[in-house]
């Protein structure tokens, strides 16, 4: 069993010591700040501080540890790449920045070349229909190459093309270890209605654009690939209607062998990682709750082995295997339970982790190391908590030297942020009900429990949260609200039983779980039960509306955005609906209901049919070009509420899709939410 710190224990550690350490490095040169939001006259932190894009979005060391590449807004309004020469006193290089696009992700191919793709953060989420492409560049910004086209965007004219780039329907799959120049990409093949049919894997030279196939002999319906650290294909998952087949290619072999075939929602195991020696690690459900554990696959028996490599009781095992950047040997496992932690197999890495944790107490500290066993080892530390969006450090164990590299959000003061805690309670039927509680800092002289917002996550077949800083709960807490986020049945990450218990329970026990979480917080005296608003997006928006229908005395108001208002529309074949035909035919019929056999149940679970029962004030917000939950969901619900005499607050963001991407949209929506809550939770 993996040992991990609970959020309560992390809270008990010395946050003050961590902040003092930050002050000790205050003299470290930092890039100029480009955005300084004005403070409201009442002293509250402005919405822009929470919802603008981060100053630093990520950082990664080059294979040798000489270079640090950082995705950052420093030096301009767009997210670019800045590279630091760690062997030359941290000399800064402006590697690449576009005037009409932002760097989405970046990785090192070798010490002489990076690869990256793009997104347009100034466009709405509905305008992100161009492909992200793939580009490569040298650390000094030279030899900028386009490897994969970005669909219908003009910034590609800045790139140099050695040969014809790959079409936009290719994407990066992995970057192998070693000092080679190749990456692995996948060609996505679609059918006539735009649904993914298969993925063909290829090697792509990041220096000249040449390619070679990795798909010889693989099944034609391959959807997902697993590679060993060197980039050799080892596992393919192929889809055939409701079935998934797992195929294996052993080291030194050319043929693919089928390991298993199963219904996609009834997997006895699922591939997780393959090491350089050809050891296959898989996840399997275990115990009464069916929580996933990590095991080795036994090729002699054709089944997962009996021994558990990693078990995280109460949680599905989730994370990734960490490998040595030179040998590819597994040296540890990164694990997500209530929070992120790392279990190191390698003694040197374990000692480095302990040294970092002792210095940066009260935080989760994610480390990556280069030249780890040498005297001149260099360690990148990403340190964050529920109150701190994150800071980056360079640590050199030789001489215990620390260098502050930057903060994810420089204008966030962790001391002013709310705290987040994880709880496990019992639902009314005795079922396990995990939840998250964000508690605002108490105002001077305040004694009464705060008003609350129950924030329902989308999916719904997803996990809602983990222990970190999150913009929306923190914004709401800064306005004095407690935030309750239930991991209702149907949520993933807490065992197969918890997931399956939500099947065909839209508006049923899934909705009851949300109400039970609110009642628990009220019974504990953590919130004012007379001042509670329910809110959420997508499925969370659906649960908001059904909560107002089913529990009218529990909620004073509801805020639903990009909300499903009629589950029957999810089975529509309209071009406006981007849910795959395969999902409509198989997965959704199992998890939500069959539109024919369960027609009565789905009608009874449609908020648009029940608008007359909603008496509380409602705020509805939708994206004008949302293809996951088309605008029809919103307009029909708006009209039904108006017909019932309950005219909702209504806003449509024309260029947004299934969620808000533009900063202007995010800030406008946050301010609308603040005003709505202030009016209705007095």
């Amino acid at each position: 069993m993996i040992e991990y710190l609970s959020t309560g224990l992390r809270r008990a550690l010395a946050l003050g010591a961590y902040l003092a350490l930050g002050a000790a490095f205050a003299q470290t040169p930092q890039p100029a700040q480009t955005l300084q939001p004005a403070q409201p006259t009442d002293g509250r932190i402005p919405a822009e501080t929470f919802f603008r894009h981060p100053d630093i979005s990520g950082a990664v060391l080059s294979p040798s540890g000489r270079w640090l590449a950082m995705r950052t807004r420093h030096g301009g309004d767009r997210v670019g790449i800045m590279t630091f020469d760690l062997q030359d006193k941290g000399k800064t290089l402006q590697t690449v920045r576009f005037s009409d696009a932002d760097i989405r992700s970046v990785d090192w191919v070798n010490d002489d070349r990076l690869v990256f793709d793009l997104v347009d953060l100034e466009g709405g989420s509905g305008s992100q229909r161009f492909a992200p492409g793939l580009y490569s560049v040298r650390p000094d910004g030279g030899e900028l190459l386009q490897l994969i086209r970005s669909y219908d965007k003009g910034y590609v004219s800045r790139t140099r093309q050695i040969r014809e780039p790959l079409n936009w329907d290719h994407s990066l799959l992995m970057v192998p270890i070693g000092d080679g120049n190749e990456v692995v990409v996948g060609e996505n093949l679609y059918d006539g209605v735009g649904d993914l049919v298969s993925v063909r894997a290829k090697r792509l030279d990041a220096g000249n654009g040449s390619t070679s196939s990795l798909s010889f002999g693989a099944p034609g319906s391959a959807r997902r690939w697993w590679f060993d650290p060197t980039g050799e294909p080892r596992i393919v998952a192929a889809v055939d209607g409701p079935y998934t087949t797992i195929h294996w290619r052993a080291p030194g072999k050319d043929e693919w062998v089928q390991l298993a075939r199963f219904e996609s929602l009834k997997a006895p195991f699922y591939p997780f990682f393959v090491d350089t020696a050809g050891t296959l690690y898989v996840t399997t459900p275990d115990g009464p709750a069916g929580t996933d554990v990590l095991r080795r696959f036994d090729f002699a028996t054709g089944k997962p082995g009996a021994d558990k490599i990693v078990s995280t009781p109460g949680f599905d095992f989730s994370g990734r295997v960490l490998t040595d950047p030179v040998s590819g040997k597994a040296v540890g496992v990164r694990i997500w339970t209530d929070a992120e932690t790392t279990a190191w197999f390698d003694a040197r890495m374990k000692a480095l982790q302990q040294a970092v944790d002792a210095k940066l107490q009260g935080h989760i500290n994610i480390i990556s190391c280069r030249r780890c066993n040498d005297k001149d080892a260099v360690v990148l530390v990403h340190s964050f908590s529920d109150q701190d969006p994150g800071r980056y450090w360079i640590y050199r164990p030789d001489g215990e030297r620390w260098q502050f590299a930057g903060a994810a959000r420089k204008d966030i003061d962790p001391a002013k942020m709310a705290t987040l805690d994880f709880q496990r309670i019992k639902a009314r039927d005795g079922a396990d009900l995990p939840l998250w509680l964000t508690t605002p800092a108490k105002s001077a002289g305040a004694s009464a429990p705060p008003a609350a917002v129950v924030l329902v996550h989308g999916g719904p077949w997803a996990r809602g949260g983990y222990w970190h800083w999150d913009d929306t709960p923190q914004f709401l807490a800064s306005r004095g609200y407690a935030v309750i986020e239930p991991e209702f049945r149907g949520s993933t990450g807490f065992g197969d039983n918890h997931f399956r218990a939500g099947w065909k329970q839209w508006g049923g026990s899934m909705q009851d779980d949300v109400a039970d979480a609110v009642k628990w917080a009220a019974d504990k005296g953590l919130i004012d039960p007379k001042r509670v608003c329910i809110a959420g997006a997508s499925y969370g928006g659906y649960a908001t509306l059904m909560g107002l229908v089913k529990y009218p005395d529990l909620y004073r108001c509801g805020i639903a955005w990009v909300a499903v208002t009629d589950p029957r529309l999810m089975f529509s074949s309209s071009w406006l609906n981007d849910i795959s035909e395969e999902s409509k035919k198989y997965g959704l019929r199992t998890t939500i209901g069959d539109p024919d056999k369960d027609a009565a149940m789905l009608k009874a679970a449609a908020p648009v049919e029940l608008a007359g029962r909603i008496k509380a004030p409602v705020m509805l917000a939708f994206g004008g070009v949302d293809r996951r939950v088309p605008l029809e969901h919103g307009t029909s619900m708006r009209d039904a509420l108006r017909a019932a005499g309950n005219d909702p607050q209504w806003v449509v963001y024309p260029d947004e899709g299934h969620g808000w991407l533009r900063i202007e949209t995010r800030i406008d929506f946050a301010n609308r939410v603040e005003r709505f809550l202030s009016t209705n939770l007095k």
Side-chain angles (χ1 to χ4, degrees):
M1 182 189 304
I2 293 297
E3 296 286 339
Y4 64 92
L5 292 176
S6 69
T7 54
L9 182 54
R10 289 189 180 90
R11 179 88 54 231
L13 296 175
L15 175 61
Y18 177 87
L19 296 176
L21 177 66
F25 289 94
Q27 301 304 314
T28 304
Q30 300 180 42
Q33 186 170 331
T34 59
L35 183 61
Q36 296 179 328
Q39 294 288 333
T41 55
D42 60 4
R44 288 179 298 175
I45 303 170
E48 183 177 21
T49 300
F50 296 93
F51 294 107
R52 68 179 181 83
H53 301 303
D55 298 300
I56 299 174
S57 307
V60 59
L61 288 169
S62 70
S64 75
R66 174 181 175 177
W67 304 99
L68 174 69
M70 185 177 288
R71 286 187 295 128
T72 175
R73 295 173 62 252
H74 295 308
D77 293 330
R78 291 287 191 168
V79 177
I81 301 174
M82 294 182 72
T83 305
F84 302 86
D85 188 344
L86 301 180
Q87 293 182 4
D88 189 8
K89 301 179 181 179
K91 179 181 178 182
T92 305
L93 305 176
Q94 179 77 32
T95 300
V96 64
R97 187 182 301 276
F98 294 96
S99 62
D100 53 358
D102 302 271
I103 306 298
R104 188 178 73 161
S105 64
V106 62
D107 207 345
W108 291 91
V109 181
N110 51 52
D111 253 38
D112 295 323
R113 188 167 292 278
L114 306 98
V115 289
F116 63 90
D117 59 11
L118 301 172
V119 65
D120 181 8
L121 293 177
E122 292 187 7
S125 59
S127 68
Q128 307 299 312
R129 294 184 181 178
F130 69 92
L134 188 68
Y135 304 81
S136 73
V137 68
R138 294 194 180 278
D140 62 0
E143 203 171 304
L144 177 60
L145 308 177
Q146 182 186 21
L147 303 173
I148 299 175
R149 285 192 178 91
S150 295
Y151 181 74
D152 195 29
K153 278 289 180 178
Y155 42 70
V156 299
S157 61
R158 280 198 52 200
T159 63
R160 171 185 168 194
Q161 297 182 12
I162 292 181
R163 60 171 61 208
E164 186 72 11
L166 293 174
N167 199 20
W168 61 269
D169 54 6
H170 290 70
S171 59
L172 181 68
L173 297 182
M174 75 161 298
V175 178
I177 63 170
D179 57 2
N181 218 33
E182 291 184 325
V183 298
V184 179
V185 300
E187 179 184 9
N188 301 315
L189 304 179
Y190 301 94
D191 62 17
V193 296
D195 290 343
L196 181 66
V197 173
S198 66
V199 179
R200 294 176 182 168
K202 304 176 181 179
R203 289 192 185 275
L204 169 65
D205 191 299
N208 62 28
S210 62
T211 62
S212 59
S213 177
L214 291 172
S215 299
F216 293 116
S221 56
R223 295 286 183 87
R224 185 174 176 187
W225 294 73
W226 287 259
F227 306 86
D228 71 18
T230 69
E232 284 297 315
R234 292 285 172 245
I235 288 281
V236 161
V239 176
D240 175 19
Y243 295 96
T244 294
T245 54
I246 305 297
H247 302 260
W248 164 255
R249 177 175 169 265
K253 302 292 184 180
D254 293 327
E255 66 273 11
W256 290 88
V257 177
Q258 181 174 307
L259 295 183
R261 175 180 169 86
F262 47 79
E263 289 187 46
S264 299
L265 290 171
K266 299 179 180 179
F269 71 89
Y270 210 71
F272 184 76
F273 175 77
V274 184
D275 66 17
T276 49
T279 303
L280 170 60
Y281 297 85
V282 299
T283 57
T284 67
D286 181 72
T291 51
D292 283 349
V293 300
L294 186 68
R295 305 178 192 267
R296 294 185 182 90
F297 190 83
D298 186 343
F299 289 98
T301 63
K303 299 178 181 179
D307 293 339
K308 305 173 190 177
I309 308 301
V310 181
S311 176
T312 51
F315 300 88
D316 286 322
F317 166 73
S318 178
R320 68 187 183 95
V321 175
L322 305 173
T323 59
D324 180 89
V326 176
S327 68
K329 176 184 176 182
V331 294
V333 182
R334 189 151 293 149
I335 301 162
W336 284 268
T337 51
D338 61 331
E340 189 172 353
T341 191
T342 307
W344 293 105
F345 312 143
D346 182 88
R348 170 64 168 164
M349 293 303 299
K350 186 175 182 179
L352 286 174
Q353 184 76 58
Q354 291 172 342
V356 170
D357 289 344
K359 185 72 69 172
L360 305 178
Q361 295 185 21
H363 281 56
I364 294 171
N365 303 304
I366 305 303
I367 67 174
S368 56
C369 182
R370 300 293 184 267
R371 306 191 300 274
C372 304
N373 295 312
D374 298 337
K375 186 177 180 180
D376 63 344
V378 57
V379 182
L380 172 65
V381 181
H382 178 209
S383 183
F384 62 92
S385 74
D386 57 338
Q387 295 176 280
D388 187 344
R391 300 164 192 265
Y392 295 88
W393 308 79
I394 295 296
Y395 169 50
R396 299 180 188 273
D398 182 31
E400 288 294 316
R401 293 173 292 161
W402 287 81
Q403 180 181 1
F404 180 60
R409 294 177 178 271
K410 295 192 304 296
D411 48 1
I412 289 290
D413 180 356
K416 296 181 179 179
M417 294 293 104
T419 57
L420 174 67
D421 286 297
F422 179 74
Q423 301 283 342
R424 284 186 184 273
I425 68 172
K426 293 297 182 182
R428 65 189 65 183
D429 61 357
D432 186 46
L433 177 52
L435 64 83
W436 302 90
L437 179 65
T438 300
T439 304
K442 284 190 176 181
S443 303
S447 58
V453 176
V454 55
L455 192 60
V456 188
H457 72 70
W461 326 116
R463 177 169 168 171
Y466 61 97
W467 197 72
H468 71 144
W469 186 92
D470 194 358
D471 51 17
T472 299
Q474 287 288 349
F475 170 71
L476 293 171
S478 75
R479 273 46 183 172
Y481 304 108
V483 182
I484 306 163
E485 298 175 86
E487 299 280 10
F488 47 85
R489 67 194 72 195
S491 302
T492 57
F494 302 95
D496 195 53
N497 289 1
H498 191 71
F499 166 53
R500 291 173 181 269
W503 290 6
K504 296 188 178 182
Q505 288 298 316
W506 284 44
S509 58
M510 293 170 74
Q511 197 70 50
D512 297 338
D513 284 351
V514 176
D516 289 351
V518 176
K519 293 176 180 177
W520 168 85
D523 290 344
K524 291 289 185 180
L526 302 172
I527 64 170
D528 181 348
K530 296 181 179 179
R531 295 190 298 146
V532 180
C533 190
I534 184 170
S538 195
Y539 171 82
Y542 166 87
T544 293
L545 298 170
M546 282 302 294
L548 298 176
V549 169
K550 196 169 182 180
Y551 293 96
D553 296 330
L554 190 62
Y555 306 114
R556 289 265 293 270
C557 58
I559 305 170
W561 63 105
V562 296
V564 176
T565 67
D566 188 344
R568 296 168 296 186
L569 290 177
M570 299 175 71
F571 296 90
S572 167
S573 296
S574 166
W575 66 272
L576 292 172
N577 185 334
D578 71 354
I579 299 174
S580 72
E581 293 301 314
E582 189 174 76
S583 294
K584 297 171 191 174
K585 188 175 181 180
Y586 303 112
L588 293 185
R589 292 170 187 260
T590 299
T591 56
I592 297 177
D594 187 295
D596 299 317
K597 298 177 182 178
D598 300 314
M601 179 190 74
L602 292 174
K603 180 178 181 180
V608 72
E609 298 278 0
L610 306 167
R613 294 169 57 181
I614 297 177
K615 305 304 180 184
V618 178
M619 177 178 171
L620 297 175
F622 283 82
V625 283
D626 189 348
R627 296 186 63 224
R628 180 53 49 90
V629 179
L631 185 57
E632 179 185 358
H633 284 264
T635 55
S636 60
M637 190 70 204
R638 178 201 61 193
D639 295 345
L641 285 168
R642 285 176 176 172
N646 185 1
D647 194 4
Q649 289 196 24
W650 170 257
V651 60
V652 175
Y653 297 106
D655 62 345
E656 298 285 6
H658 199 58
W660 320 140
L661 186 60
R662 296 178 68 242
I663 295 176
E664 292 82 356
T665 304
R666 291 158 63 86
I667 295 171
D668 178 79
F669 181 68
N671 288 331
R672 289 173 184 266
V673 167
E674 180 177 3
R675 292 191 296 269
F676 184 81
L677 292 173
S678 178
T679 299
N680 293 292
L681 292 183
K682 293 179 180 178

